[in-house]
Amino acid sequence: MFALLRTFSLQELLHHPWRTASALLAVVLGVALGFAVHVINASALDEFSRAVRSVQGQPDLELRAMQGALPERVYGLAAREHQQVAQAAPWLEASVQAWHARDSAPDDAKPVTLRLLGGDALQSGALAPALIPRLFTGHDRLDLFAPDAVFLNAAALQALGLNEARAAGAQLWWRLPAPASSDATTPARLVMVRIAGTVAASGPPLALMDIGAAQDLLQRWGEISRVDLLLAPDAHADRLLAQLRAAPGWPPGVLASVPGNEQQRVAQMSRAYRVNLTVLALVALFTGAFLVFSVLSLSVARRAPQFALLAVLGLTARQRLALVLAESAVLGLLGSVGGIALGLGLAALALRLLGGDLGGGYFTGVQPALQWSGAGALVFAGLGLASTLAGGWWPARAAQSLPAAATLKGLGALQTPQAGARLPLLLLAASAALAWLPPIAGMALAAYVSVGLLLLGGMAALPWLLGRLLQRLPEFARNRPLWLLAFERARRMRASASVAVGGVVASLSLAVALTIMVSSFRGSMAEWLDTALPAPAYVRAAGGMSQGDAGLRDARLVDAVRALPGVARAQPQRNASLSLASDQPAMALLVRPLQGAQAQALPWLAPPLAVPPGLIAVHISEAAAQLHGLQPGQRWSALQSAFAQGGADPPAFFIAGIWRDYVRQFGAVAMDSADYQRLTGDTRVSEIALWPAAHADLAALQARIQALAPAHGPLEWVSSQGLRERSMRIFDRSFAVTYWLQAVAIAIGLFGIAASFSAQVLARRKEFGLLSHLGLTRRQILGVVAGEGAVWSALGAIAGTVLGLGVAVILVHVVNPQSFHWTMELRLPWLRLALLALAVTAAGTLAAWLAGRAAAGRDAVLAVKEDW
């Protein structure tokens, strides 16, 4: 069998390199893209987990507030439980802007945002060894508790342009966040600190100092951010939490989580993005299976007399089946090996250019190193092999059931079974049924299967569909012999036509679906930005919105901006976070003026409801509504604990409306500014929405705003147009991989149609020779061939476009809401879809014409003698 495979099958594959290369290319790219996405995300998740572990250590339990900070008494109450708590460590977290004191004056500096951790060096070592301070040589041990001593990790030193030699004793300017109340008297909130040592923690830039010194600097006396607990050997977390909640003075709104929850939350946040990318990457494998089917079907049809002769010589039906499956296995093994190698290279390139999130924004600040995944390589290599075996199964069955005697007499091709509509209809019905199922384990698994069944049903319906479409000849072809030949052959050889255009329909349908999905999302995003950015300009801390509380500014900045000449209106805005469950990612809390004459509008799905007296209105995003099972008109009791104040009655919240949000995948809550300030006493702002006066000099207004920097820190002016352009660039970056996958699908389809038509035309040399003997010129024969290519390609383009529309409906209305919890409108870019269909039709026509030139030469005339 091996010798037969080497002489009979491998020579066939090598003698038709274009056909073989088209199938191999699809398998290689499918395996490579899927494996690359797996390696990239595995590397990023591992790096993020190591960074989190190095900073947070490995406590048994972690206590945090749902919203804002914890009162300091939480640490005392937890540490008092000596029988169950072996060790407790308090932490204060903030973010500060820092720069080297010798680099520039504070007003001209370009600061680096550092994550500040205030901790107790005597308590935290056992829980977080990577945060044990390491003093520089010659420094006093009491610097561990000095009010101006800080310890930086390697990322912070690098961001500040320092090494350990230069950092020893160096001084830094720190710009501190504004305190929660507006009663602070220090205008610029600038302090100078000195670097006393380092910490081994990895991850983003980090600064560590004594927790008491941090509370003094930040003016957050009596507040902490979290408490890490190391439990006693026989302690139980549930019993400890029950005792703490029953203790006098225990505040409401305290969440308890176990180690690893943050890594799990980030993994959960990025899971839908990763799964979608992997499924889209496997599109090439799906197309590759059809191309393998096309290549081997044509190969088996061309070698039918040889298979018949082998059967007469004693090769059994099972051996013929095994022979063709061995050919497909060779393609699968070669494609998988090449795909794993290419995927590793693509992963290394993507980690360098796009980072570990592939544009998704889930692993900000993490620079992962490439990590080999042996299990992932085996899985994707197995998928590549399985796809080629699936593609080769039907051709192998055809070779197995080949009638030897009839084929040797030239009659085997006449025994093609008629295609029915029962199987395609069953597949399409199953696809429609699965599309209605809810997500499984938070993923749109049923929808993915629905897409696969829709594609299989569409491909199975091709022979029947082509027969229906070609049942009646067009009027222009009836009196034109050359067009009549082209249409008649396409109509009577539907099985051959289906094989030729099968890979094209599969790749074009997926390219059409991706085009519609991206266009729909991009158009919806552009419309959403028009509502989400109502003001012409925004004023905020220099450096953007990703600085945490380092970007917060005192409420007096709003009054200062309103007093400037050329300002018609200025409204404060605040962005915060809100955690309602320890096992779920935090939601965003947006504080906006939502009541009164100058209330800002949100992109509501429906007009908001009237709020009953005594209740506080909140507006939730689509994601928050789906994840928490909420509807307008409900009271939200889970939100009460987050804003409860000591012994006072907790506030009652009313869900007034649902709004569309394309940024925050795990939900957002919008609240009126006055309600938030009354509940928390926090008047700080993240940014100011600014409406310049009519005919105002914008350049002069920007200069006046910059002049506020000495009192309020560096500020930046951002136009809404600039924010829109930046958001769309981020969108395009997030979908960069999707664009590449779309291009790959189109390229594979065009390459496959060229290979399929070339193989079919080259197998018809005797037919062309007979036409030459009947008096047709070479130009007329090429016209017939080009006409057949045009007919088949046009029909394939129509079928692929219609099938792609069906796939797009599932992607937009099922996969997207189940994966990311937001909805969007279906938008059809007719011009791009028409260009795709025309490109496929033109490529098929050109491929058939070029193949006809090679087949309709002198060899075609001589080939007729083979039957004499």
Side-chain angles (χ1 to χ4, degrees):
M1 177 62 72
F2 179 76
L4 187 61
L5 174 66
R6 183 179 59 189
T7 58
F8 182 70
S9 300
L10 296 185
Q11 288 184 8
E12 170 69 16
L13 296 176
L14 294 176
H15 286 169
H16 299 86
W18 286 104
R19 286 188 304 169
T20 305
S22 66
L24 271 178
L25 177 64
V27 178
V28 167
L29 289 176
V31 173
L33 293 172
F35 183 60
V37 170
H38 171 78
V39 170
I40 291 167
N41 285 283
S43 301
L45 280 172
D46 181 75
E47 181 67 24
F48 180 83
S49 299
R50 288 195 291 112
V52 170
R53 288 195 302 269
S54 68
V55 173
Q56 295 188 346
Q58 290 294 329
D60 294 322
L61 206 61
E62 179 184 284
L63 304 178
R64 282 184 180 271
M66 288 183 174
Q67 188 272 331
L70 286 173
E72 198 174 66
R73 66 177 181 273
V74 171
Y75 167 63
L77 292 172
R80 190 182 305 164
E81 298 289 338
H82 299 296
Q83 293 182 351
Q84 298 193 65
V85 177
Q87 195 160 2
W91 296 95
L92 182 65
E93 301 176 359
S95 55
V96 298
Q97 294 176 327
W99 60 95
H100 199 288
R102 293 178 297 181
D103 286 346
S104 58
D107 294 338
D108 301 327
K110 294 182 179 179
V112 174
T113 300
L114 303 179
R115 179 185 179 186
L116 172 62
L117 278 181
D120 186 347
L122 301 179
Q123 298 291 334
S124 60
L127 289 94
L131 291 177
I132 297 177
R134 297 180 298 184
L135 289 164
F136 287 132
T137 303
H139 280 243
D140 193 338
R141 293 182 180 179
L142 293 180
D143 279 343
L144 294 173
F145 313 102
D148 63 342
V150 298
F151 302 83
L152 305 183
N153 69 345
L157 293 175
Q158 182 179 3
L160 292 166
L162 299 172
N163 54 33
E164 290 199 15
R166 290 185 58 201
Q171 292 182 314
L172 301 176
W173 280 109
W174 272 12
R175 188 179 302 280
L176 302 175
S181 65
S182 59
D183 298 331
T185 57
T186 305
R189 298 284 294 148
L190 286 174
V191 298
M192 184 173 287
V193 297
R194 57 189 175 87
I195 305 175
T198 62
V199 290
S202 59
L206 172 75
L208 177 73
M209 68 185 313
D210 180 68
I211 187 170
Q215 287 176 326
D216 287 338
L217 286 179
L218 298 172
Q219 299 183 12
R220 292 175 59 179
W221 303 285
E223 290 184 359
I224 55 177
S225 300
R226 76 175 198 264
V227 178
D228 291 344
L229 300 179
L230 190 65
L231 301 185
D234 297 330
H236 295 280
D238 294 337
R239 186 172 58 193
L240 171 63
L241 291 175
Q243 291 181 4
L244 289 175
R245 287 167 181 158
W250 185 260
V254 179
L255 289 178
S257 59
V258 296
N261 271 7
E262 184 165 353
Q263 297 96 302
Q264 294 174 7
R265 285 194 294 265
V266 173
Q268 181 183 356
M269 290 173 64
S270 64
R271 182 178 60 181
Y273 188 72
R274 289 181 284 122
V275 169
N276 281 342
L277 285 182
T278 303
V279 170
L280 292 177
L282 295 179
V283 161
L285 272 184
F286 187 87
T287 307
F290 281 103
L291 289 180
V292 170
F293 166 76
S294 176
V295 167
L296 292 181
S297 294
L298 295 174
S299 177
V300 169
R302 198 185 73 85
R303 293 180 294 166
Q306 302 173 29
F307 277 110
L309 181 59
L310 289 175
V312 172
L313 295 177
L315 196 67
T316 65
R318 177 173 293 184
Q319 288 174 326
R320 295 197 299 272
L321 174 73
L323 186 62
V324 179
L325 288 179
E327 295 178 14
S328 62
V330 169
L331 290 174
L333 289 174
L334 293 176
S336 297
V337 171
I340 295 299
L342 179 60
L344 206 59
L346 290 175
L349 182 64
L351 286 174
R352 179 176 299 229
L353 298 179
L354 298 177
D357 53 9
L358 287 176
Y362 298 103
F363 306 105
T364 304
V366 174
Q367 296 295 329
L370 182 69
Q371 296 189 9
W372 166 258
S373 175
L378 290 176
V379 168
F380 283 95
L383 287 174
L385 181 60
S387 69
T388 57
L389 290 175
W393 174 252
W394 288 111
R397 291 278 296 175
Q400 181 186 31
S401 59
L402 190 72
T407 304
L408 287 176
K409 294 178 181 180
L411 303 176
L414 299 177
Q415 302 180 10
T416 303
Q418 293 294 324
R422 179 176 299 178
L423 177 61
L425 289 177
L426 288 175
L427 291 173
L428 295 176
S431 172
L434 287 174
W436 289 93
L437 293 182
I440 301 172
M443 294 181 289
L445 298 180
Y448 295 134
V449 178
S450 174
V451 170
L453 291 179
L454 177 61
L455 291 172
L456 289 175
M459 299 299 297
L462 270 180
W464 177 84
L465 179 64
L466 292 177
R468 291 290 180 179
L469 291 175
L470 294 173
Q471 191 171 8
R472 295 185 60 184
L473 287 173
E475 290 297 331
F476 74 89
R478 293 184 181 275
N479 299 321
R480 292 176 174 82
L482 296 183
W483 277 107
L484 184 62
L485 280 174
F487 271 95
E488 281 293 342
R489 191 179 192 283
R491 185 169 66 171
R492 297 181 184 278
M493 302 295 291
R494 296 195 301 270
S496 299
S498 302
V499 171
V501 301
V504 179
V505 173
S507 60
L508 179 62
S509 63
L510 291 164
V512 166
L514 292 177
T515 301
I516 295 174
M517 183 191 72
V518 175
S519 298
S520 300
F521 199 177
R522 205 176 195 280
S524 300
M525 182 80 172
E527 286 188 359
W528 175 79
L529 287 172
D530 292 337
T531 307
L533 300 173
Y538 293 85
V539 176
R540 62 192 186 188
M545 299 290 291
S546 60
Q547 307 176 67
D549 51 4
L552 296 177
R553 291 295 178 259
D554 193 276
R556 291 172 299 177
L557 175 62
V558 182
D559 298 329
V561 171
R562 285 173 176 164
L564 294 176
V567 175
R569 181 158 57 117
Q571 289 185 337
Q573 299 186 160
R574 171 71 185 273
N575 298 324
S577 63
L578 181 66
S579 297
L580 299 182
S582 60
D583 58 345
Q584 293 182 358
M587 292 189 296
L589 177 61
L590 309 185
V591 181
R592 304 285 189 271
L594 300 178
Q595 300 174 6
Q598 296 185 343
Q600 292 186 17
L602 295 173
W604 284 294
L605 298 183
L609 303 176
V611 183
L615 301 182
I616 299 175
V618 292
H619 306 269
I620 58 176
S621 67
E622 286 183 290
Q626 291 187 25
L627 291 172
H628 296 274
L630 302 173
Q631 293 294 333
Q634 292 181 348
R635 295 194 181 192
W636 198 357
S637 57
L639 196 60
Q640 293 178 325
S641 299
F643 290 94
Q645 296 289 335
D649 292 334
F653 294 94
F654 178 81
I655 301 175
I658 298 178
W659 52 285
R660 184 166 287 165
D661 184 12
Y662 290 132
V663 175
R664 304 160 189 92
Q665 178 183 339
F666 282 87
V669 181
M671 179 184 296
D672 182 67
S673 301
D675 292 332
Y676 178 81
Q677 293 172 8
R678 186 179 69 256
L679 292 173
T680 64
D682 191 346
T683 61
R684 295 174 295 177
V685 298
S686 301
E687 62 181 1
I688 301 173
L690 184 66
W691 284 262
H695 310 296
D697 187 346
L698 297 184
L701 181 58
Q702 292 183 45
R704 296 188 191 105
I705 290 175
Q706 294 296 335
L708 300 175
H712 299 280
L715 302 173
E716 66 178 6
W717 165 295
V718 184
S719 67
S720 58
Q721 181 62 32
L723 287 174
R724 288 186 183 91
E725 294 175 354
R726 186 181 307 173
S727 299
M728 297 314 295
R729 285 197 301 270
I730 295 174
F731 175 90
D732 291 334
R733 184 175 183 268
S734 300
F735 279 85
V737 179
T738 305
Y739 294 141
W740 280 105
L741 293 173
Q742 182 182 11
V744 166
I746 296 173
I748 291 175
L750 295 179
F751 199 83
I753 195 172
S756 298
F757 282 138
S758 299
Q760 289 215 11
V761 171
L762 289 174
R764 294 165 55 194
R765 290 184 305 127
K766 296 179 183 180
E767 178 184 335
F768 297 149
L770 179 60
L771 292 176
S772 297
H773 282 293
L774 293 176
L776 269 69
T777 64
R778 186 171 185 269
R779 183 175 181 179
Q780 290 174 325
I781 294 175
L782 291 179
V784 172
V785 174
E788 292 177 14
V791 172
W792 287 357
S793 301
L795 293 175
I798 293 173
T801 302
V802 172
L803 200 57
L805 288 173
V807 174
V809 170
I810 298 177
L811 291 179
V812 171
H813 293 303
V814 182
V815 173
N816 184 72
Q818 291 186 3
S819 297
F820 302 105
H821 313 295
W822 54 57
T823 60
M824 57 188 179
E825 302 297 328
L826 185 70
R827 300 168 188 267
L828 302 179
W830 293 111
L831 179 59
R832 295 180 64 184
L833 297 181
L835 291 176
L836 277 175
L838 288 175
V840 169
T841 303
T845 305
L846 180 62
W849 183 80
L850 291 175
R853 289 189 61 186
R858 178 175 175 81
D859 290 342
V861 179
L862 296 177
V864 181
K865 297 181 179 180
E866 295 176 6
D867 289 338
W868 295 355

